[in-house]
Amino acid sequence: MFVVKNPYNHEIISEVPTFNADQVESSVKTAKKAQPAWQQVKPFERFEIVEKFNKILSANEEECAELLCKETGKAISQARGEVKATTSRINWFLNYSQDLMDTKTVHIGAGVEEKISYDPLGVIANISAWNFPYFVGSNVFIPALLTGNAVLYKPSEFSALTGLKIAQMWQEADLPEGVFQCITGLGATGQYLTSSSLDGMFFTGSVPTGYKIYEQWAQKNMAPVGMELGGKDPAYIMEDSDLQKVIPTLVDGAFYNCGQSCCSVERIYIHESLYEKALNLFIEESKKLKISNPTDPDCYFGAITRAQQIDVLEDQVREAKELGADILLEGGKIHETGNSFAPYVLANCHSEMKIMKEESFGPVIGIQKVKNDNEALKLMNDSRYGLTASVFGDNLEEGKKILKKLDFGTVYWNCCDRVSPYLPWSGRRDSGIGATLSHLGVQAFTKSKAWQIRH
Ligand code: NAD
């Protein structure tokens, strides 16, 4: 068993089972037994079950949001937002997945008909993160189930109760037994899953864990891997930007969910002509956001989910200060017990500082002045991460010159920190492999079969 604590006050909420190696093996066996029959279920019946799950999720919106708020410290309004948005996301999958799965004739020539059909991968593992457990979980398990796979879902130990709630809702939706199983535990449980013989591994989490899983997985499995990892997402404010519009967007991009989003804005470059004005506005906007108990309906900054991350944030701030950064907004831990943490805003940062290089995953932001677009582009691309990058300005044609050269999975113009189901969600370099969402994120859970039929 392991203990689940409320990050806001460190009160113990519950104890959750830790799956050992034998239990994981037994779950794998159950999934392998259940999957072939699930694959045979008519697609529209699979869709009906997913639709039923979605209705149950919607009916349980408040309970799910309260649980999420309690176990991760997410502000309640943001927790409600996540659950609600997940139901829309699931509807998107229901509306757009079916056509993608249909067998298609792609060519007829020399008397031969050429077709592509799709089979499910089989039994897949979904090792997940805690920061948006409904979102990042459903990006994997919904298309995986719709396409006929069985899913071994390992929620993060920091969102285990949410994971169990998700499993309960699948049961209520009459998903056949064994097709979706929630495997609770710590990193070691994830390792048992990684060293099992499975048909796909879909991981969302940190870069170091991603590397470990990639290595361990390859020793046992010649099967697809999807990795959605960390980011150090840059934003650039061009010379002609309308700061009144840009700054509130950027403050929210940096601090939503206490900066614990994979696509949070983590470093900002500002054209020198706007630098001082932008900094003042940034501080002004940041101060408007309320830090309080996550259950407070007006709370913006809830609690940092993992207490250990506070050391990372403080170390980045300390080092930046030593290397010459100016602290424009002094943040830090608020109460002795609990993980409430006020935001930090640092200016005059440079690329040698950890705050501009390593993922912060918290409410701290480093800002740097640049002379021109070329300097901004060079700095933005100079990173081991490649998840998202945003550019703000007035002239889209000038902006496109930068956007085209940004080496990131997603580029934004006058927006940031947003995910659309119509578009592939993918990271470059250390930010990951493969994609969720869009047609790519559905076909990722299938294997193609090429048919050549001579008539
Ligand atoms: P984490 O890597 O600490 O843990 C993720 C999961 O891996 C957990 O379920 C954990 O129990 C499990 N795990 C830990 N060690 C393991 C091992 N050796 N083998 C197998 N499983 C193991 O990450 P986290 O703190 O839960 O999540 C935060 C990270 O996730 C951030 O870096 C964030 O950027 C990233 N993230 C990325 C995306 C994306 O779409 N790219 C989305 C959300 C979060």
Side-chain angles (χ1 to χ4, degrees):
M1 299 291 260
F2 64 94
V3 163
V4 178
K5 281 188 190 168
N6 182 329
Y8 177 66
N9 52 23
H10 288 186
E11 276 173 20
I12 293 177
I13 310 171
S14 185
E15 285 193 26
V16 173
T18 304
F19 275 53
N20 62 27
D22 289 345
Q23 288 166 313
V24 170
E25 199 185 322
S26 156
S27 300
V28 170
K29 273 191 191 145
T30 306
K32 285 187 175 175
K33 224 167 144 192
Q35 191 275 329
W38 178 240
Q39 177 174 350
Q40 293 309 318
V41 168
K42 291 197 175 67
F44 81 87
E45 287 174 25
R46 288 203 298 264
F47 275 61
E48 273 177 4
I49 290 177
V50 172
E51 206 171 6
K52 191 167 173 192
F53 169 85
N54 207 21
K55 284 189 179 140
I56 295 168
L57 176 61
S58 186
N60 284 271
E61 187 184 303
E62 189 55 26
E63 185 193 333
C64 292
E66 282 174 15
L67 186 62
L68 185 58
C69 167
K70 202 168 165 182
E71 79 170 330
T72 66
K74 191 185 288 263
I76 187 69
S77 61
Q78 297 173 16
R80 287 190 186 116
E82 181 181 344
V83 180
K84 198 183 272 303
T86 302
T87 60
S88 309
R89 176 79 51 90
I90 294 174
N91 278 331
W92 182 87
F93 277 117
L94 287 165
N95 289 329
Y96 289 86
S97 300
Q98 182 56 56
D99 287 356
L100 297 171
M101 292 297 293
D102 290 346
T103 300
K104 289 177 189 71
T105 297
V106 288
H107 183 242
I108 300 174
V112 178
E113 183 185 2
E114 297 172 3
K115 299 198 289 188
I116 306 173
S117 70
Y118 299 92
D119 294 322
L121 294 174
V123 176
I124 64 129
N126 175 196
I127 301 183
S128 204
W130 46 264
N131 60 332
F132 286 93
Y134 284 102
F135 263 148
V136 297
S138 61
N139 287 349
V140 172
F141 61 66
I142 296 293
L145 291 172
L146 284 175
T147 51
N149 297 277
V151 178
L152 294 163
Y153 174 63
K154 152 81 179 76
S156 162
E157 50 275 44
F158 296 97
S159 57
L161 299 176
T162 293
L164 290 168
K165 178 72 191 164
I166 289 170
Q168 183 202 323
M169 291 189 285
W170 279 120
Q171 215 174 4
E172 288 168 23
D174 297 322
L175 184 71
E177 217 178 308
V179 171
F180 180 95
Q181 295 174 68
C182 179
I183 314 282
T184 48
L186 310 179
T189 300
Q191 285 184 42
Y192 303 139
L193 210 45
T194 310
S195 55
S196 302
S197 179
L198 299 171
D199 304 306
M201 164 60 71
F202 294 86
F203 172 69
T204 309
S206 63
V207 172
T209 309
Y211 269 102
K212 282 185 205 157
I213 291 179
Y214 199 30
E215 195 181 343
Q216 198 184 349
W217 175 256
Q219 288 171 24
K220 192 83 177 247
N221 296 288
M222 182 62 78
V225 169
M227 293 272 164
E228 306 236 314
L229 310 178
K232 186 73 195 169
D233 297 359
Y236 171 45
I237 305 180
M238 291 175 79
E239 190 175 11
D240 55 1
S241 298
D242 176 351
L243 291 179
Q244 298 295 339
K245 283 191 193 153
V246 172
I247 297 298
T249 306
L250 267 180
V251 168
D252 193 46
F255 293 147
Y256 191 80
N257 199 29
C258 282
Q260 301 170 121
S261 306
C262 51
C263 52
S264 290
V265 172
E266 292 227 350
R267 49 193 173 117
I268 300 177
Y269 304 99
I270 304 179
H271 191 278
E272 60 183 6
S273 61
L274 300 174
Y275 190 64
E276 294 303 327
K277 200 171 164 209
L279 291 181
N280 290 335
L281 273 175
F282 200 94
I283 300 304
E284 212 176 282
E285 277 302 314
S286 303
K287 283 183 176 167
K288 289 182 190 165
L289 304 172
K290 190 172 178 188
I291 311 164
S292 61
N293 188 327
T295 57
D296 171 0
D298 296 325
C299 171
Y300 184 87
F301 289 104
I304 301 283
T305 305
R306 292 168 67 250
Q308 305 95 299
Q309 198 64 18
I310 290 177
D311 295 339
V312 173
L313 301 177
E314 281 173 347
D315 176 61
Q316 289 191 353
V317 170
R318 182 197 45 73
E319 189 229 31
K321 208 171 150 186
E322 277 171 19
L323 295 179
D326 293 328
I327 300 193
L328 298 189
L329 189 65
E330 180 88 40
K333 211 164 169 315
I334 292 179
H335 311 297
E336 207 162 297
T337 312
N339 308 342
S340 291
F341 192 92
Y344 270 104
V345 178
L346 279 74
N348 300 333
C349 295
H350 59 72
S351 54
E352 292 310 308
M353 298 171 178
K354 287 185 209 168
I355 201 168
M356 301 303 273
K357 279 198 301 199
E358 293 305 321
E359 188 177 46
S360 305
F361 221 57
V364 305
I365 185 85
I367 305 179
Q368 181 170 350
K369 179 160 59 179
V370 291
K371 284 196 167 47
N372 52 41
D373 296 353
N374 281 342
E375 188 186 2
L377 176 64
K378 194 163 165 263
L379 289 166
M380 284 199 279
N381 273 339
D382 181 20
S383 175
R384 61 192 280 233
Y385 300 100
L387 193 58
T388 82
S390 52
V391 179
F392 293 80
D394 190 43
N395 183 337
L396 178 58
E397 289 316 306
E398 282 304 305
K400 275 186 188 164
K401 291 180 188 164
I402 305 174
L403 296 171
K404 276 185 192 162
K405 291 180 186 159
L406 284 167
D407 191 12
F408 289 78
T410 293
V411 292
Y412 302 109
W413 173 246
N414 285 331
C415 58
C416 57
D417 189 30
R418 74 185 292 279
V419 180
S420 163
Y422 294 89
L423 298 171
W425 187 248
S426 68
R428 297 186 180 179
R429 301 184 291 286
D430 271 2
S431 290
I433 304 171
T436 50
L437 301 174
S438 77
H439 65 291
L440 299 176
V442 176
Q443 283 168 348
F445 299 97
T446 65
K447 43 196 179 198
S448 59
K449 186 184 274 182
W451 299 63
Q452 304 201 23
I453 316 272
R454 186 177 292 281
H455 288 292

